[in-house]
Amino acid sequence: MRTNDVILKTATQLVTFIIIIFSIYVFLAGHHNPGGGFIGGLMTAAAFILLGLAFDIETVKKIIPIDLKIITAIGLLIAVLTGIGAFVFDANFLSHTFGYFQLPLLGKTELATALLFDIGVYLVVIGVTLTIIFTIGEDQ
Amino acid sequence: MTVLHWATISPFLLAILIPFLYKYARPIHTGWFVLVLPLVLFIYFISFLPITSDGGVIEYSAPWVPSLGINFTVYIDGLSLLFLLLITGIGSLVVLYSIYYLSKKTERLHNFYVYLLMFMGAMLGVVISDNLIVLYTFWELTSLASSLLISYWYHRKKSTYGALKSMLITVFGGFAMLGGFSLLYLMTGTFSIREIISQVELVTSSSLFIPAMILILLGAFTKSAQFPFHIWLPDAMEAPTPVSAYLHSATMVKAGIYLVARLTPVFGGAAEWFWILSGIGLLTLCWGSISAVRQKDLKAILAFSTISQLGLIMCLLGLGSASLYFGYGTESTVYTTATLAAVFHLINHATFKGSLFMTAGIIDHETGTRDIRKLGGLMTIMPITFTVSLIGTASMAGLPPFNGFLSKEMFFTGVLNATELSIFNMQTWGMLFPVLAWIASVFTFLYCLIMFFKTFTGKFKPENYDVHVHEAPIGMLVSPIILGSLVIIFGLFPNLLAYTLIEPAMAAILPTLLGGDDVFKVHIYHWHGFNPELFMTIGVIVFGTILFLLMKKWAQTTIYLRERDPLNRVYDGTLSGLATGGNKLTSFYMTGSIRHYLIYIFSFLVLFIGFMFVRLNAFAFGGETAPITFFETAIAIVMVIAAIVVALARTRLTAIIGLGAVGYSLATFFVFFRAPDLALTQMVIETVSTVLFLLCFYHLPMFKQKFENVKFKLGNLMVSLGVGILVTMLAISSHNSKLFDSLKDYFVAASYDEAGGKNMVNVILVDFRGFDTLFEILVLGIAAIGIYSMIKLRLAKEEQ
């Protein structure tokens, strides 16, 4: 009984990108400004939920080719590995460090190992949120 | 581990082999293999006789749990040796008897002998251990083995009933005893009986003296079937007869006697010990002998007779302990007669009761019944059984020249001496002892007559029996004949025992009465001249005979006809009352309703924390607070309205929207309290969870109209108000009683310098306290997988 909601679909196509870009910004800015892996992940998930509402879950699954549960697992693995990685440098579990590097294009940039951990959080949050929503959504 | 240690546990080791012997040596009755062990042990223990009769002791220690002072110490003195010889000697005879009693074709012999050996080992351990904890361990093993043996024919309902009863009662006493042992340890700091006796003044001066004494006596009384714990013994008669003969007459029921005798040096001399022992003993003696008269079953008569004789021994031990009050001297020697009588009667009882049980077993085995109303006229058919029974019964009744006569005379001497005691209020109550003892003896005589004459005299009626009645095979008769001979030998030459067994045993029970190298000089005479004891015995015989002759007059009274002990009703009532009571209690509060459980939890929270609040006077109001702004007030009002809407909502949608409103107001609060990360997260989470709510609840049916009574709702209201008020008070009070500065200054200072981040919240989450975050994302992952599997697995099930 779905009607032809062109406006919604068109708007979604535009807005989704904005949301995703904003969420990635929030995620990357987390170390110095409000934001971080958790909020970034939630926002990215929200973008996909919007896609799912405007189109359907199949479309979203086409866009995300990997199983959502695997994304969650990868996120957890990254988070744990960043902790274990500290052992290589003879430091305690989950010790973080940071440094300033001269990168092409970006110039002098701060790179922190905490960001790697945050990537793990980001992926887990996306995976978890979408798994829950889509599992329940599919169970009609 | 010395040879003695190995000897003590050798029955357990042999028990391991029994099933194999049973399986691979089928043609030979398993009992023959078992018989070797107690015989060897008996001979081995006899070799200690010269040592103990010279007043020597044997002591070896093997560490078990040395850090707790628990060592497997074997200690042999006169008292232990007496019991060791009883256990192994009667053990051998019982095993021999059981070989003929239990058929190798129809019975599960491997079970029987494993239990019997387990019991024998446990019993040896009880009497040989010097360490209280080791003693307790073996003590419980005897309870366990006894229950297993009682329920040997486990398909019979009565057997399992009796086993359960004996288990419950003796284990109850065992636990109490463990408590008493622990108190002794508290007082003296050692588990060794030797060392406790050497520091006995620590015990007698302690305030724990009475509790320890009562707890230990509970153990001894339950095991030795003293009033009112005697009710398990008649029901234990469902066991095979060799078991009854061994456990419930000669050995296990004497474990309590042993314990009392063993601890007499610790507790003896106190008025409470004297009164409890002799009082309960006397009561048990009377109760047992009077109840025995009412029994119609041979083994039941013997069971109550055992109870009454154990009461007699217990009473004598109590009377004998009075001598400890006086200490070493000539004055006390008069009262040691009681102890002498106790030890002597202990031996005598083991011999004649063992033989009587065995003859009762023979009668049961050969006639198929033990009911004295059916039996009769067996004298000529079973002449040997008849002779042995005559000897045993006469000894039990206290007739000369058998050993029972001697110990009964001494018993009368003991109680008569007690009347002359000048301590413990005995001037007032002392006369009760000889009177009650005499009455009990009359009844003892009476049931002996009944048991003997109803079985063997009268007319033989073949129609009463299902089987052809004949004399038992010689193998079955050997054991009772040996015991019967012992009855006569001990009766004619009592001084055989005096120097070898009784004197060392008395020295062990009353060690403080002996100065230096003294030993008790015991000499037992048959003829004391015309003294009160003799006249009492004559009176017993005359009155007993009169009562027996008049039996037709009182045999139809209801008291005589009722066989069950009235105390059984208390036991049964307690047991079923506990079961139904427990059931009722559980079904009263375990309603299965989560609402009720939540009410319990919240009520406990409110009452407990509220009580502590009031008790510690923890209220703290009026501390420093920040000024309240207009926006905060406005958001708070919105939040409260939304919350009330949720509580009063009639449809789900309203409730969900109300909840959303609460969530967004909270996010606004975060904005005003300058928590941008929280505000962002709260906003997105609220949105996502509202979506989830809508998704889920869309499929649910409408609210059901619940007809709850007003009272229940009022209760809910009270509980929720209580929780609300409590938490508010808690928050305010804890806000106003901060004891230390917060850690925030460190985070403010270190977040950029050490972690390179300007967003403090994020730095704490991923760096300073990343460990928490790691597990929070794990929680999220588990939740997702949980939801996924719940939904998918349910579908898979439906498809099947």
Short mmCIF file of all heavy atoms in Angstrom, two decimals, chain B residues 771-789:
data_model
loop_
_atom_site.label_atom_id
_atom_site.label_comp_id
_atom_site.label_asym_id
_atom_site.label_seq_id
_atom_site.Cartn_x
_atom_site.Cartn_y
_atom_site.Cartn_z
N PHE B 771 39.14 0.81 29.60
CA PHE B 771 38.77 -0.57 29.95
C PHE B 771 37.26 -0.70 30.12
O PHE B 771 36.65 -1.67 29.66
CB PHE B 771 39.50 -0.93 31.24
CG PHE B 771 39.70 -2.40 31.42
CD1 PHE B 771 40.35 -3.15 30.45
CD2 PHE B 771 39.25 -3.04 32.56
CE1 PHE B 771 40.56 -4.51 30.63
CE2 PHE B 771 39.44 -4.39 32.73
CZ PHE B 771 40.10 -5.13 31.76
N ASP B 772 36.66 0.30 30.79
CA ASP B 772 35.19 0.28 30.95
C ASP B 772 34.52 0.29 29.59
O ASP B 772 33.59 -0.48 29.34
CB ASP B 772 34.72 1.52 31.73
CG ASP B 772 35.21 1.48 33.16
OD1 ASP B 772 35.70 0.41 33.56
OD2 ASP B 772 35.09 2.49 33.85
N THR B 773 35.00 1.16 28.73
CA THR B 773 34.37 1.31 27.42
C THR B 773 34.44 0.01 26.64
O THR B 773 33.48 -0.38 25.98
CB THR B 773 35.08 2.43 26.64
OG1 THR B 773 35.19 3.54 27.49
CG2 THR B 773 34.31 2.79 25.41
N LEU B 774 35.60 -0.65 26.76
CA LEU B 774 35.78 -1.92 26.06
C LEU B 774 34.65 -2.89 26.41
O LEU B 774 34.04 -3.51 25.54
CB LEU B 774 37.13 -2.51 26.44
CG LEU B 774 37.51 -3.83 25.77
CD1 LEU B 774 37.61 -3.63 24.27
CD2 LEU B 774 38.82 -4.35 26.32
N PHE B 775 34.36 -2.94 27.71
CA PHE B 775 33.33 -3.91 28.10
C PHE B 775 31.92 -3.38 27.86
O PHE B 775 30.99 -4.17 27.70
CB PHE B 775 33.52 -4.32 29.56
CG PHE B 775 34.66 -5.28 29.70
CD1 PHE B 775 35.92 -4.83 30.03
CD2 PHE B 775 34.46 -6.61 29.43
CE1 PHE B 775 36.98 -5.71 30.12
CE2 PHE B 775 35.52 -7.50 29.51
CZ PHE B 775 36.78 -7.05 29.85
N GLU B 776 31.77 -2.06 27.80
CA GLU B 776 30.45 -1.55 27.44
C GLU B 776 30.11 -1.89 26.00
O GLU B 776 28.96 -2.27 25.68
CB GLU B 776 30.38 -0.04 27.67
CG GLU B 776 30.00 0.29 29.10
CD GLU B 776 30.53 1.63 29.54
OE1 GLU B 776 30.75 2.49 28.66
OE2 GLU B 776 30.73 1.81 30.75
N ILE B 777 31.10 -1.80 25.12
CA ILE B 777 30.77 -2.17 23.74
C ILE B 777 30.56 -3.67 23.64
O ILE B 777 29.76 -4.15 22.83
CB ILE B 777 31.82 -1.65 22.71
CG1 ILE B 777 33.21 -2.15 23.05
CG2 ILE B 777 31.78 -0.15 22.61
CD1 ILE B 777 34.24 -1.73 22.00
N LEU B 778 31.23 -4.40 24.52
CA LEU B 778 30.97 -5.84 24.56
C LEU B 778 29.52 -6.10 24.97
O LEU B 778 28.83 -6.95 24.40
CB LEU B 778 31.93 -6.51 25.54
CG LEU B 778 31.82 -8.03 25.59
CD1 LEU B 778 32.23 -8.63 24.26
CD2 LEU B 778 32.68 -8.60 26.71
N VAL B 779 29.05 -5.33 25.96
CA VAL B 779 27.66 -5.47 26.40
C VAL B 779 26.72 -5.20 25.23
O VAL B 779 25.76 -5.95 24.99
CB VAL B 779 27.36 -4.50 27.56
CG1 VAL B 779 25.86 -4.39 27.80
CG2 VAL B 779 28.07 -4.94 28.81
N LEU B 780 27.02 -4.13 24.47
CA LEU B 780 26.18 -3.82 23.31
C LEU B 780 26.17 -4.98 22.33
O LEU B 780 25.11 -5.39 21.83
CB LEU B 780 26.71 -2.57 22.62
CG LEU B 780 26.45 -1.24 23.34
CD1 LEU B 780 27.08 -0.11 22.55
CD2 LEU B 780 24.95 -1.00 23.46
N GLY B 781 27.34 -5.52 22.08
CA GLY B 781 27.43 -6.63 21.13
C GLY B 781 26.61 -7.81 21.60
O GLY B 781 25.86 -8.42 20.82
N ILE B 782 26.71 -8.12 22.89
CA ILE B 782 25.95 -9.26 23.42
C ILE B 782 24.45 -9.01 23.29
O ILE B 782 23.68 -9.90 22.91
CB ILE B 782 26.35 -9.52 24.89
CG1 ILE B 782 27.78 -10.03 24.97
CG2 ILE B 782 25.41 -10.52 25.53
CD1 ILE B 782 28.33 -10.10 26.35
N ALA B 783 24.05 -7.74 23.57
CA ALA B 783 22.63 -7.42 23.45
C ALA B 783 22.15 -7.63 22.03
O ALA B 783 21.09 -8.22 21.78
CB ALA B 783 22.39 -5.98 23.88
N ALA B 784 22.95 -7.17 21.06
CA ALA B 784 22.54 -7.32 19.67
C ALA B 784 22.41 -8.79 19.29
O ALA B 784 21.42 -9.21 18.69
CB ALA B 784 23.57 -6.64 18.75
N ILE B 785 23.42 -9.58 19.68
CA ILE B 785 23.38 -11.00 19.34
C ILE B 785 22.21 -11.67 20.05
O ILE B 785 21.53 -12.55 19.49
CB ILE B 785 24.72 -11.66 19.69
CG1 ILE B 785 25.77 -11.16 18.71
CG2 ILE B 785 24.62 -13.18 19.62
CD1 ILE B 785 27.13 -11.66 18.95
N GLY B 786 21.95 -11.23 21.29
CA GLY B 786 20.82 -11.78 22.03
C GLY B 786 19.52 -11.54 21.31
O GLY B 786 18.71 -12.46 21.11
N ILE B 787 19.29 -10.29 20.90
CA ILE B 787 18.04 -9.98 20.21
C ILE B 787 17.93 -10.74 18.90
O ILE B 787 16.91 -11.35 18.56
CB ILE B 787 17.95 -8.45 19.97
CG1 ILE B 787 17.73 -7.76 21.30
CG2 ILE B 787 16.84 -8.12 18.99
CD1 ILE B 787 17.78 -6.28 21.23
N TYR B 788 19.07 -10.75 18.17
CA TYR B 788 19.09 -11.45 16.89
C TYR B 788 18.72 -12.91 17.07
O TYR B 788 17.84 -13.45 16.39
CB TYR B 788 20.49 -11.32 16.29
CG TYR B 788 20.64 -12.02 14.97
CD1 TYR B 788 20.22 -11.39 13.79
CD2 TYR B 788 21.20 -13.28 14.89
CE1 TYR B 788 20.35 -12.01 12.57
CE2 TYR B 788 21.32 -13.93 13.67
CZ TYR B 788 20.90 -13.29 12.51
OH TYR B 788 21.01 -13.92 11.31
N SER B 789 19.38 -13.58 18.09
CA SER B 789 19.13 -15.02 18.21
C SER B 789 17.73 -15.29 18.75
O SER B 789 17.10 -16.27 18.37
CB SER B 789 20.19 -15.66 19.10
OG SER B 789 20.45 -14.87 20.21
#
